Amino acid sequence: MDMEKKALKKAEMVFETTDVLTENVYKITPEEKEKLDRLAEDRIDKARNEAIPKIRERYEQRVKDIRQQQQAKDG
């Protein structure tokens, strides 16, 4: 119950703020925007290419562990 109250209190603190949120905004040309978009896509592709084998490896390891546990229960 205490953890729920703490979580609720944290959520309330986030929503009760009345401060003005500001962020620096820079004007860029359409060419710069295209370049930044390409860089972002390249980063996403690189992250995916690195993440997918790791996820697949963890999945295969988990399946292997589950099968071993089932065999131990059955055996």
Side-chain angles (χ1 to χ4, degrees):
M1 189 68 170
D2 291 333
M3 294 184 75
E4 291 177 11
K5 288 181 182 179
K6 287 179 183 179
L8 182 60
K9 189 174 183 180
K10 286 181 183 179
E12 287 175 355
M13 288 174 46
V14 170
F15 293 110
E16 288 178 0
T17 184
T18 58
D19 295 338
V20 176
L21 302 175
T22 60
E23 183 69 29
N24 292 336
V25 178
Y26 301 97
K27 293 183 179 181
I28 59 171
T29 65
E31 293 83 17
E32 290 174 322
K33 183 178 181 336
E34 288 178 23
K35 182 179 177 183
L36 290 172
D37 289 343
R38 279 195 305 272
L39 287 173
E41 288 176 14
D42 290 344
R43 288 184 192 139
I44 290 170
D45 288 341
K46 182 179 177 185
R48 278 189 191 132
N49 291 336
E50 291 175 359
I52 290 173
K54 291 178 184 177
I55 293 169
R56 186 172 290 130
E57 181 180 324
R58 287 192 316 232
Y59 172 78
E60 290 171 359
Q61 181 62 40
R62 182 70 178 137
V63 168
K64 185 178 176 182
D65 293 343
I66 290 171
R67 286 184 182 152
Q68 287 175 352
Q69 289 175 358
Q70 288 177 346
Q71 286 177 355
K73 286 181 183 178
D74 294 339

